[in-house]
Amino acid sequence: MEKNNDLQLADLKLQLEKLEYEKSLTDEIFDRITESIVALDENWCYTYVNKQAGEIFQRKPQELIGKHIWTEFPEGIDQPFYKAYYKAFTTQEYICLEEYYKPYDKWFSNHIYPSPNGLSIYFSDITIRKKADLELKKNELFNRGVLNSVDSHIVVIENCGTIVAVNELWNKFIIDNGETTLIHSNVNSNYITATQKKADSGNTKAAEALEVIQEVIDGKKSISIYEYPCNNKTINRWFMMRVTRFEKEQPMVVIVHSEITNLKKSENQLKLKNNELLKINHELDSFVYNTSHDLRSPLKSILGLSEIIKDEMLPDDLEQRSRIDMIKESVIKLDDFIEDVLLYTKNSKLELSFEEIFYEQIIQEIKNSLNFMVGAQTIKLIFDIEDTIKFISDKNRLTVILKNMITNAIKYQKADNNDSFVKVTIKNSKDDSIIIVEDNGIGIVQDRQNQIFNMFYRATHLSTGSGLGLYIVKEMIDKLEGTIKVDSEVSKGAKFTVTIPNNRYI
Ligand code: ADP
């Protein structure tokens, strides 16, 4: 009997050891689980708290065993989890809850398993995921807000043509254009396939648009633009499609269709107006050119006839001779004016014509034309030309520019000066030719210097000209893409510096 008892005792010991071993095994398994676990009895006292739960509560698990949850954590009362625990226990139904827990400023997910003896709660800290989700949602909302606030139809596609995003206006546009369903134009449908279908059915605009999109998809261009008319039963409109590629993990293409009907209308009106203006301008130019030309021959006849009349006059008929001289002077002035008008129209009409410039030749031509000019005999002409470097430019325009500046120096020399001079310095370089024309004449008042290049502007009452000369000079220099500047001091003289680019490589 005693032996029997001993055996039973040994057996019980063995079973107890086995149980303890199994319990330690279970504890270890529970501790290894990354989720936090607690168990509560029907009186809301802890019966189990694993290591991870202890870490979150910042309490030792064994200290909590047998303690009342809301006595230990009163801050949890009335929080969403509190309510969920009561609900699960009362209804005896499993509850899964993801919620923000204010006292810890953290998000938790809770799996609440009820039993008549209490609750088992598996929970984990999901703050990082939740914050990332919220950030993502915020970004999504932002992107959607931006997409919908833009006054254009927007569709974003992947390289293969699959639509990944559209905005509200895009859907409206599809319906406006007679489609009854958004099935071929919404997210996940294929934009390329739908456009290709239209192209295959003979829609040439669709085929052209497809080409433009394909260039961007293929990476040949990062942005491409296509303008197209879009007409439905009630309205004719113009759109501009702008295709832009942007690199993400997978390259995507944004297609923005913006209405440009008004722009097109203005553009067409502008084109019409421009053509009209070009025509008027051309007619005006021709009119001025032809009239000026036609006016010159009668003037030449008047000059010739005046000369004959003067020759036939008695040498002592001084009064009549002086009258004839006055007629001649007026005719020459008128002819000079007409010449200026002709030069102006020629400059605007004629294209640039480049050739190698030989300054000596130009100077000689100018000198010859000055033979009969009043004042040319009382001024010294000085030339300093350094043109060994080849200079290519427009000879006719250069001649007009130089002649104008030289004749001005002659016209505006000081009446009482015996050493009036005009000095022309020219220096070529591979980039340009710099021409300086300076004189010791009457000079120009400081505050008028910036106006002397204006049309019909005369800076002195001594001028007998039309005020067109320097305006034409400036126009021609602009055409040659050069510059001109003036330095002058009253009664000391004037200095004009002109820079003309060398068109060697044209
Ligand atoms: P204009 O027919 O009067 O000579 P320009 O256009 O050639 O017209 O010149 C404009 C004005 O600039 C002239 O009226 C004159 O007052 C002034 N001007 C031009 N060149 C000189 C110069 N070398 N010396 C003094 N004044 C000048």
Side-chain angles (χ1 to χ4, degrees):
M1 186 67 181
E2 206 166 276
K3 198 178 173 194
N4 233 356
N5 274 349
D6 277 356
L7 265 173
Q8 272 181 349
L9 207 66
D11 192 37
L12 266 173
K13 250 185 167 174
L14 211 76
Q15 278 187 28
L16 205 68
E17 267 172 25
K18 198 174 154 211
L19 269 173
E20 264 174 10
Y21 171 71
E22 277 171 358
K23 184 178 177 301
S24 73
L25 216 66
T26 326
D27 278 355
E28 204 187 314
I29 289 168
F30 272 124
D31 280 347
R32 275 194 196 165
I33 293 172
T34 50
E35 238 182 356
S36 311
I37 305 169
V38 298
L40 299 167
D41 64 17
E42 69 271 33
N43 296 318
W44 302 95
C45 292
Y46 287 104
T47 55
Y48 180 75
V49 178
N50 79 345
K51 206 171 111 205
Q52 286 74 10
E55 276 165 14
I56 288 179
F57 299 150
Q58 294 194 336
R59 299 278 294 268
K60 286 193 179 130
Q62 60 272 27
E63 277 178 16
L64 287 170
I65 305 299
K67 304 263 171 68
H68 188 270
I69 177 173
W70 307 123
T71 318
E72 296 304 308
F73 301 103
E75 67 274 17
I77 295 174
D78 282 342
Q79 295 289 330
F81 294 118
Y82 172 92
K83 291 175 185 161
Y85 297 165
Y86 274 92
K87 192 174 169 200
F89 189 63
T90 325
T91 58
Q92 287 294 302
E93 271 174 21
Y94 159 76
I95 292 179
C96 172
L97 179 69
E98 285 192 353
E99 256 304 339
Y100 175 64
Y101 187 62
K102 202 165 173 225
Y104 288 3
D105 185 25
K106 280 186 170 166
W107 281 80
F108 288 99
S109 92
N110 271 219
H111 297 274
I112 310 159
Y113 297 95
S115 81
N117 302 330
L119 297 176
S120 302
I121 305 161
Y122 295 70
F123 61 103
S124 48
D125 182 347
I126 55 163
T127 312
I128 294 175
R129 171 169 64 80
K130 215 61 194 177
K131 280 198 174 153
D133 278 359
L134 282 175
E135 201 54 38
L136 210 70
K137 246 197 201 116
K138 233 168 70 188
N139 279 344
E140 259 173 38
L141 275 173
F142 174 79
N143 290 342
R144 184 123 307 273
V146 171
L147 275 182
N148 288 336
S149 66
V150 176
D151 192 18
S152 306
H153 319 123
I154 302 177
V155 53
V156 184
I157 62 169
E158 284 176 349
N159 260 6
C160 57
T162 304
I163 298 178
V164 289
V166 297
N167 72 344
E168 281 167 7
L169 267 187
W170 167 257
N171 291 338
K172 189 176 172 300
F173 174 64
I174 298 293
I175 300 293
D176 277 358
N177 279 310
E179 299 281 338
T180 47
T181 164
L182 295 174
I183 212 152
H184 304 300
S185 57
N186 218 338
V187 171
N188 286 334
S189 48
N190 194 300
Y191 188 82
I192 305 268
T193 318
T195 317
Q196 184 67 57
K197 256 191 198 149
K198 284 188 197 159
D200 292 345
S201 66
N203 185 334
T204 51
K205 300 286 165 208
E208 285 167 12
L210 205 58
E211 252 176 57
V212 171
I213 298 170
Q214 204 58 53
E215 296 185 311
V216 177
I217 289 180
D218 296 344
K220 287 183 192 148
K221 284 184 178 174
S222 57
I223 294 180
S224 206
I225 286 173
Y226 175 66
E227 290 182 358
Y228 62 96
C230 180
N231 308 325
N232 65 19
K233 281 175 203 148
T234 51
I235 187 166
N236 296 340
R237 293 182 294 176
W238 271 89
F239 279 89
M240 181 179 83
M241 179 181 80
R242 187 186 156 96
V243 190
T244 321
R245 185 184 158 95
F246 71 96
E247 305 293 333
K248 270 192 124 189
E249 305 88 64
Q250 198 196 357
M252 292 205 194
V253 171
V254 185
I255 304 170
V256 179
H257 299 257
S258 316
E259 189 176 347
I260 51 163
T261 313
N262 286 341
L263 207 75
K264 270 280 161 195
K265 272 187 196 156
S266 327
E267 197 182 291
N268 284 341
Q269 274 167 1
L270 215 69
K271 257 188 207 155
L272 281 175
K273 274 266 167 304
N274 203 30
N275 285 342
E276 218 172 285
L277 278 174
L278 277 175
K279 196 172 154 254
I280 293 173
N281 214 17
H282 181 76
E283 283 170 1
L284 206 67
D285 269 359
S286 307
F287 173 77
V288 171
Y289 188 79
N290 292 331
T291 324
S292 311
H293 231 268
D294 291 351
L295 279 174
R296 287 193 98 180
S297 37
L299 285 181
K300 291 256 161 10
S301 309
I302 298 173
L303 263 185
L305 285 171
S306 314
E307 210 53 60
I308 295 170
I309 295 170
K310 202 177 162 190
D311 283 351
E312 287 174 1
M313 269 177 187
L314 296 172
D316 53 354
D317 194 353
L318 295 177
E319 205 174 325
Q320 292 294 18
R321 291 179 83 85
S322 117
R323 282 186 186 132
I324 291 290
D325 280 343
M326 280 159 76
I327 292 174
K328 273 174 66 185
E329 213 176 286
S330 298
V331 171
I332 289 169
K333 211 173 130 186
L334 189 57
D335 190 56
D336 284 349
F337 175 67
I338 293 171
E339 195 188 348
D340 279 350
V341 174
L342 277 170
L343 282 173
Y344 171 74
T345 42
K346 266 190 198 161
N347 181 50
S348 59
K349 266 165 96 133
L350 295 182
E351 290 301 315
L352 290 165
S353 146
F354 291 121
E355 60 187 284
E356 187 175 353
I357 301 298
F358 299 100
Y359 277 114
E360 298 286 356
Q361 218 179 54
I362 295 179
I363 299 290
Q364 199 46 55
E365 279 172 34
I366 295 174
K367 270 184 182 166
N368 294 343
S369 72
L370 296 178
N371 278 342
F372 302 104
M373 185 181 171
V374 184
Q377 290 71 30
T378 53
I379 195 167
K380 198 166 154 199
L381 301 179
I382 308 163
F383 294 97
D384 177 2
I385 300 168
E386 212 182 297
D387 63 353
T388 41
I389 296 175
K390 193 171 172 180
F391 178 59
I392 307 287
S393 191
D394 184 316
K395 184 188 167 198
N396 287 335
R397 286 184 171 86
L398 268 185
T399 310
V400 173
I401 294 166
L402 261 168
K403 186 177 169 192
N404 225 296
M405 291 191 294
I406 294 171
T407 50
N408 272 350
I410 296 172
K411 281 196 289 185
Y412 300 112
Q413 60 185 288
K414 279 190 280 194
D416 51 358
N417 192 355
N418 291 328
D419 347 290
S420 292
F421 72 83
V422 47
K423 182 176 180 198
V424 180
T425 314
I426 297 174
K427 193 167 184 205
N428 288 353
S429 76
K430 65 177 179 35
D431 297 324
D432 49 37
S433 183
I434 298 175
I435 305 167
I436 300 171
V437 179
E438 56 189 316
D439 61 56
N440 59 350
I442 60 170
I444 306 159
V445 181
Q446 180 72 37
D447 59 5
R448 293 189 190 162
Q449 287 176 16
N450 57 356
Q451 297 176 73
I452 56 173
F453 301 105
N454 293 350
M455 195 188 264
F456 298 121
Y457 186 82
R458 291 176 211 138
T460 166
H461 66 275
L462 295 172
S463 163
T464 51
S466 59
L468 266 181
L470 285 182
Y471 171 71
I472 294 166
V473 166
K474 175 80 170 66
E475 286 286 298
M476 290 189 172
I477 291 174
D478 283 349
K479 195 133 187 168
L480 290 166
E481 295 180 12
T483 57
I484 180 164
K485 74 177 181 94
V486 60
D487 296 297
S488 178
E489 224 177 291
V490 175
S491 68
K492 290 232 166 109
K495 178 177 170 187
F496 289 86
T497 308
V498 174
T499 307
I500 307 286
N502 195 344
N503 290 283
R504 283 199 311 172
Y505 304 108
I506 287 183

